[in-house]
Amino acid sequence: MSGVWIFGYGSLVSPDSFGHTLQRRPQFGVDFFEAELAEFGRRWNYGSLSAIGRAADPSGTVRDYAIVALGVSALAGETVHGTIGWVSNDELVALDRRERYYDRVDVTGQASVVGAEQVAEPVMTYVPRREAVERYEQMRDRGEAAVDQRYFDLVDRAFGDLGEDRRERYHDTTPAPDIPVLPLQRDLEAHRYGAAERL
């Protein structure tokens, strides 16, 4: 069956989150592995172009926030720890829809399975589009951007499930968000798409 490996560095590190889109749960050691991506760095730099969350600000006023999630950028000397999962060409359609404001980029020569050689077959990852990064920067500067607490906790748990040392590495190599982490409430359209549109 033809397809590609997808390197995940945020919510796709969770086989449950990955599997929700594929409609099957990937299995560690079979079609899902720990992996590293060289010459990239992980940052809180993806501003959703469609999902808005609501939460109370410090004064207690409920307001809207642009939702920010993790992205990666090409950065010399950095390495991102995450996972890779096998995705068939048919499944890739659904994954591309989920990550519709990211560009799918070929990183075959820079990805490796932990404890093994570089992956010979195609490896892709999702890099935030320029407009998504600009959205994050603009809304951050206006004080109108936030990370959803559920997403923040999901990624933290996913790395913790790999091992406490993996969780520590994730935090050590990922600068903390420069915007608040809040328990955001979203409308039905945001829940339909937004919960699945982030890595």
Side-chain angles (χ1 to χ4, degrees), residues 6-76:
I6 295 292
F7 179 87
Y9 50 82
S11 63
L12 288 184
V13 173
S14 164
D16 290 331
S17 179
F18 204 151
H20 180 75
T21 299
L22 305 184
Q23 297 187 337
R24 62 172 177 83
R25 193 179 193 277
Q27 300 299 311
F28 269 104
V30 177
D31 57 358
F32 199 70
F33 301 88
E34 283 189 68
E36 294 182 338
L37 181 61
E39 304 301 312
F40 276 81
R42 180 170 32 221
R43 299 292 189 270
W44 294 95
N45 67 349
Y46 165 84
S48 173
L49 300 175
S50 62
I52 294 293
R54 296 177 183 83
D57 66 17
S59 72
T61 302
V62 175
R63 52 182 296 193
D64 289 344
Y65 291 89
I67 296 175
V68 173
L70 287 165
V72 289
S73 301
L75 292 167

Side-chain angles (χ1 to χ4, degrees), residues 48 50-51 67 100 186 189-198:
S48 173
S50 62
I67 296 175
R100 64 196 179 281
R186 295 184 247 176
E189 187 71 4
H191 276 296
R192 181 182 175 190
Y193 294 110
E197 74 171 37
R198 45 193 190 271

Side-chain angles (χ1 to χ4, degrees), residues 165-181:
D165 58 332
R166 271 64 165 183
R167 188 204 308 262
E168 291 176 3
R169 180 179 177 186
Y170 157 62
H171 287 291
D172 288 345
T173 59
T174 308
D178 56 2
I179 53 177
V181 179

Side-chain angles (χ1 to χ4, degrees), residues 13 28 32 34 81-83 157-166:
V13 173
F28 269 104
F32 199 70
E34 283 189 68
H81 177 253
T83 57
R157 283 194 306 271
F159 280 98
D161 288 343
L162 296 176
E164 188 56 35
D165 58 332
R166 271 64 165 183

Side-chain angles (χ1 to χ4, degrees), residues 96-118:
D96 281 348
R97 187 182 309 117
R98 165 179 172 156
E99 310 297 348
R100 64 196 179 281
Y101 298 123
Y102 293 80
D103 288 323
R104 179 160 43 87
V105 176
D106 191 324
V107 292
T108 303
Q110 294 158 279
S112 59
V113 173
V114 172
E117 299 297 323
Q118 287 187 332

